[in-house]
Amino acid sequence: MSTAIVSSEFKLMLSCCRIIPGNKELKQREDAFAETIDEDYFWALVLRHRIYPIVWFNLQHEARLSMGLKEKLKQFSEKNQRHALQSLLMQCRMQKVFDEQRFRGFFLKGVTLSELYYEDPGIRHVMDLDCWVEEDAIGYMTEWLYHEGYVSLPDVQTLNAKQLDFIKKTDHDLQFIAEKPGLPRIIELHWKLRGPLGGFNLNPDSPMNEVDNFLYLCAHGTEHGWFRLKWLFDLPQIMDRVTFDWAQVRDQAIMLDCLDHLELTMLLLKSMLNEPIPEVINVHLYASKYTTQLKYIHAAIASSSVFNDNNVNRLAYLRYMRSLSRKKINWGLILKYLTNPKDWELLPLPSGLFFLYFPLRPFLFLWRRFFENR
């Protein structure tokens, strides 16, 4: 495990994983303060992992922190409260559209998770608003969001039929961006719950139950290498408030083809937060099976860089993703790397010539690199 993860600053951060800390979190906090705390480094970690609201909630009365650091935590957390209220308002408006149009749809993670398990929607960092809607509703909701002041990334209004079909087959959501004050900045509209890796093969007809939601969070975090502790901190809040039948959770993980996501998550909770692994899961778990993946996750969590900020990190993540893939040859994953909207923007081709993007990919990639570097 990286030395960064066992630093006093990391220990202090991990001690804030619950809104109601237990004895082990309080002891870890004392252990951290028994060592020297570099407040600048601690603040950088908190920002990097987007957990300042729950850290402020835990440490606002902590006399061993400077007033300067507490003021930064307070200011960022108050700003997050405003973002949470904006997201709640937008959720209500979107739900009204779902109901009026009789679309099947529900919201993922975000303030919905905060309301259910954090007691206050502002205690969890608000970044974007995720929702799943049935595929037939994507066109209508896209137009509605454009009318509200959002633009999709990529801009679907500039894409031809082949490009739209490619996105539909190789991806699972569209991202919408708005700069207008008072709106959540990012909305992700999902037509699939997960991407091309497979695993968590739930086809929802209604909002997920507590077991499915927990497994979804395991799958989401695992596929992203648990790069941000924000995602990992969700799980203690849920486990503190839901009495799971862990045999049922494991059986459902097998049913949804995400047992490896569940087992890897349990190993991570054990290694990072000292959470005990439920015996009904532990008795079937072979930790050695996940050694390489867990090593990657620990390194990703300890990293001070932004996600996939260089070619070395991108290659490591691609190897990690390949280890999670359900297919020996995953064409959905491969195709995503063989062309992308940046190529289409650089060289607009008609639908009938879409196939040319694949052989042209190396040249378009080098062209962009050359001019970006200049």
Side-chain angles (χ1 to χ4, degrees):
M1 190 182 294
S2 168
T3 54
I5 291 180
V6 296
S7 68
S8 58
E9 294 81 11
F10 226 96
K11 289 177 186 174
L12 181 57
M13 189 167 60
L14 293 178
S15 78
C16 299
C17 67
R18 282 179 157 88
I19 60 169
I20 305 175
N23 290 333
K24 71 174 184 292
E25 285 82 29
L26 294 175
K27 181 180 183 306
Q28 187 175 38
R29 194 170 301 170
E30 292 304 310
D31 291 344
F33 278 116
E35 306 171 29
T36 302
I37 301 291
D38 182 332
E39 289 194 350
D40 289 336
Y41 179 49
F42 177 71
W43 174 240
L45 284 173
V46 168
L47 284 178
R48 150 77 173 78
H49 288 281
R50 295 178 180 165
I51 55 171
Y52 43 84
I54 195 170
V55 170
W56 167 244
F57 187 83
N58 272 267
L59 301 181
Q60 58 186 302
H61 303 300
E62 179 54 66
R64 289 168 289 189
L65 291 181
S66 71
M67 290 303 297
L69 175 58
K70 287 198 283 188
E71 185 60 29
K72 284 191 288 189
L73 286 166
K74 179 183 178 183
Q75 288 179 2
F76 275 67
S77 298
E78 288 175 347
K79 185 177 180 182
N80 188 72
Q81 285 277 356
R82 293 194 294 273
H83 290 164
L85 293 174
Q86 290 168 0
S87 290
L88 283 170
L89 178 59
M90 178 56 76
Q91 279 195 189
C92 291
R93 296 181 62 212
M94 291 179 71
Q95 186 63 56
K96 184 179 179 182
V97 176
F98 297 163
D99 295 341
E100 289 174 348
Q101 301 299 320
R102 297 186 179 180
F103 292 149
R104 288 180 293 120
F106 57 87
F107 296 91
L108 305 163
K109 308 191 305 294
V111 289
T112 299
L113 200 63
S114 307
E115 284 190 301
L116 287 171
Y117 305 113
Y118 281 78
E119 298 181 355
D120 180 337
I123 297 179
R124 186 181 188 271
H125 174 262
V126 178
M127 179 63 182
D128 49 23
L129 195 162
D130 289 68
C131 71
W132 173 89
V133 292
E134 58 182 300
E135 196 168 317
D136 290 344
I138 293 294
Y140 185 96
M141 293 307 302
T142 295
E143 290 185 15
W144 187 86
L145 287 169
Y146 267 76
H147 182 265
E148 292 296 311
Y150 286 86
V151 176
S152 65
L153 191 66
D155 185 351
V156 295
Q157 293 186 338
T158 67
L159 302 183
N160 60 43
K162 284 284 188 180
Q163 292 166 344
L164 286 170
D165 188 55
F166 182 85
I167 289 174
K168 179 180 173 182
K169 287 180 178 178
T170 60
D171 219 324
H172 63 295
D173 70 349
L174 269 177
Q175 190 174 85
F176 293 81
I177 311 293
E179 302 294 343
K180 185 178 176 182
L183 291 178
R185 186 169 184 273
I186 301 173
I187 294 178
E188 290 187 359
L189 206 58
H190 294 246
W191 56 90
K192 301 174 189 172
L193 286 175
R194 300 303 321 138
L197 293 181
F200 196 79
N201 54 17
L202 181 70
N203 292 316
D205 288 319
S206 60
M208 294 181 286
N209 62 37
E210 289 175 326
V211 171
D212 291 338
N213 187 49
F214 183 84
L215 292 172
Y216 171 76
L217 295 175
C218 292
H220 171 269
T222 300
E223 286 190 9
H224 288 287
W226 292 105
F227 182 72
R228 298 197 190 281
L229 286 176
K230 165 187 171 180
W231 305 321
L232 193 65
F233 283 13
D234 288 334
L235 303 184
Q237 320 312 321
I238 298 174
M239 293 187 294
D240 286 350
R241 287 159 181 76
V242 179
T243 303
F244 284 116
D245 177 341
W246 289 106
Q248 180 192 359
V249 174
R250 186 176 186 275
D251 288 344
Q252 184 68 351
I254 294 171
M255 179 75 68
L256 296 180
D257 189 24
C258 62
L259 180 61
D260 54 342
H261 297 278
L262 173 64
E263 291 183 335
L264 192 50
T265 299
M266 289 296 155
L267 288 169
L268 184 63
L269 283 168
K270 175 67 175 176
S271 65
M272 296 294 297
L273 303 181
N274 198 26
E275 291 291 323
I277 300 175
E279 183 58 27
V280 71
I281 294 175
N282 194 45
V283 71
H284 299 286
L285 199 162
Y286 296 94
S288 59
K289 176 182 175 183
Y290 301 107
T291 301
T292 302
Q293 292 166 319
L294 204 58
K295 182 179 179 181
Y296 170 83
I297 291 171
H298 284 150
I301 290 173
S303 171
S304 60
S305 64
V306 295
F307 190 61
N308 281 353
D309 64 334
N310 58 55
N311 289 334
V312 173
N313 288 347
R314 279 188 283 270
L315 183 59
Y317 180 59
L318 185 58
R319 290 197 192 102
Y320 172 75
M321 289 177 70
R322 179 68 185 85
S323 75
L324 294 174
S325 176
R326 297 303 191 265
K327 305 171 186 176
K328 289 184 179 179
I329 301 178
N330 190 324
W331 286 111
L333 186 58
I334 292 169
L335 286 171
K336 284 191 71 172
Y337 284 87
L338 291 183
T339 186
N340 65 35
K342 290 184 179 180
D343 295 343
W344 312 341
E345 183 180 353
L346 180 61
L347 181 63
L349 293 175
S351 288
L353 297 179
F354 182 82
F355 68 94
L356 290 177
Y357 283 118
F358 301 116
L360 288 172
R361 170 69 167 168
F363 304 101
L364 296 173
F365 178 80
L366 291 172
W367 182 274
R368 284 200 310 274
R369 279 297 179 91
F370 176 74
F371 280 101
E372 284 173 3
N373 289 338
R374 291 192 66 181

